[in-house]
Amino acid sequence: MQTVTDAAAIRAAIRGWRAAGQNVGFVPTMGNLHAGHHSLLKLARARADRVVASVFVNPTQFGPGEDFGRYPRTLAQDQAGLAEAGCDILFAPEVATMYPFGPAASVSIHVPVITDTLEGAYRPGHFDGVATVVAKLFSLVQPDIAVFGQKDFQQLKVIERMVADLSLSVKVMSAPTLRDEDGLALSSRNQYLLPQERARAPQIYATLVQMRELFRQGHAWQALEQAAKARLERAGFVPDYVAIRRAEDLAEPGADEREGLVALVAARLGATRLIDNLPFD
């Protein structure tokens, strides 16, 4: 596997592949990779002749007081895992490559409506940063397909909306959430959990599963949101939101809407903020 850090090098490599008639899969990441990320690589590997992964901790998607400074940076470990997963090139740019005029003076992409709720409401500007950096990465890599995990469900929907609205040629693919044996969704932030917090963390997934089962039994979604929030609070979480939404656009479902829904949770456990979701279909 080759590692490149500048725009000219990644563009030259892509041109060479294109000249050979090869298509390109892409997996953008912020590094500190785990088995969930590697599963995205394997999906891209199965669908494309060549695969690029990026590692870039994007400053514009972190708000004041968030964990940009302490977000784990483990490039050597990431390189080994990506090579084993079948990555051809790791693109690991510096901030100056992605934001040549500085993050504060960068062009910014705002995807309206779908970013106004859930994570967007609790992390203002977060999805502007996500959309901007993904658009920049798409411009540099020019992939045929790009793979994102379903764990960051709203992020996936924002990127799908941006690609459709800007008529970008990349096909966005999603990969299912990978979980530990006890149900906790794999996440780089899990390492922040203290041992006693890690033991309680699977209650998020257990709560989502209970919401889905009760919904299938005919319970109203509004009541399920309230009950699930109370359950998490009793387990020691501080929920930001517990919501049931339409999977397509994250809008609130109608009172009689029973298909195409997803439950989403964001909750703090100690100093760590965890997110998860579970489609109801």
Side-chain angles (χ1 to χ4, degrees):
M1 184 187 72
Q2 183 182 3
T3 299
V4 301
T5 60
D6 63 279
I10 189 65
R11 284 175 167 152
I14 301 297
R15 281 197 303 270
W17 292 342
R18 297 287 186 204
Q22 296 175 319
N23 65 353
V24 180
F26 180 43
V27 178
T29 83
M30 291 207 301
N32 195 228
L33 306 182
H34 50 67
H37 296 104
H38 297 156
S39 72
L40 308 184
L41 259 293
K42 290 174 182 176
L43 178 57
R45 178 86 271 170
R47 302 297 180 91
D49 301 313
R50 295 288 189 169
V51 178
V52 177
S54 63
V55 168
F56 179 65
V57 184
N58 176 35
T60 65
Q61 69 189 69
F62 289 82
E66 293 188 341
D67 58 353
F68 174 71
R70 68 177 185 135
Y71 194 89
R73 291 153 170 86
T74 55
L75 186 60
Q77 175 184 316
D78 295 341
Q79 286 172 314
L82 288 169
E84 186 175 346
C87 185
D88 292 298
I89 290 183
L90 167 60
F91 180 44
E94 299 293 334
V95 171
T97 298
M98 298 304 298
Y99 297 100
F101 302 104
S106 170
V107 169
S108 181
I109 295 177
H110 175 66
V111 181
V113 184
I114 200 170
T115 61
D116 295 339
T117 185
L118 303 174
E119 288 295 288
Y122 281 89
R123 302 180 66 189
H126 167 69
F127 285 122
D128 292 356
V130 169
T132 298
V133 78
V134 171
K136 285 171 173 280
L137 288 167
F138 284 174
S139 177
L140 288 164
V141 177
Q142 295 288 308
D144 296 283
I145 65 168
V147 184
F148 295 84
Q150 291 179 1
K151 188 186 84 69
D152 295 291
F153 193 84
Q154 189 173 10
Q155 172 180 275
L156 171 64
K157 294 301 171 181
V158 169
I159 292 165
E160 288 176 345
R161 180 71 62 90
M162 177 188 73
V163 165
D165 202 359
L166 297 181
S167 301
L168 302 182
S169 60
V170 59
K171 178 181 179 181
V172 176
M173 300 183 63
S174 64
T177 302
L178 259 62
R179 302 182 181 277
D180 278 335
E181 291 183 1
D182 58 9
L184 180 64
L186 298 187
S187 170
S188 298
R189 289 189 169 95
N190 291 350
Q191 64 193 290
Y192 298 155
L193 295 168
L194 300 175
Q196 63 271 29
E197 294 168 346
R198 176 61 185 81
R200 278 186 286 165
Q203 285 295 318
I204 289 181
Y205 181 61
T207 299
L208 288 167
V209 171
Q210 183 185 62
M211 292 174 74
R212 182 176 65 182
E213 294 308 309
L214 291 174
F215 183 80
R216 288 173 174 174
Q217 293 172 23
H219 292 261
W221 63 266
Q222 298 95 329
L224 292 179
E225 289 181 346
Q226 296 170 6
K229 182 178 180 182
R231 171 178 170 158
L232 289 172
E233 289 171 342
R234 289 194 299 271
F237 294 84
V238 180
D240 282 344
Y241 57 81
V242 181
I244 295 174
R245 297 296 176 90
R246 289 205 308 246
E248 180 183 8
D249 58 7
L250 299 181
E252 289 188 355
D256 298 325
E257 201 166 351
R258 308 296 295 179
E259 296 181 353
L261 304 184
V262 60
L264 308 103
V265 170
R268 297 184 183 277
L269 187 57
T272 305
R273 187 176 186 271
L274 302 173
I275 65 171
D276 202 352
N277 67 84
L278 186 66
F280 280 5
D281 294 341

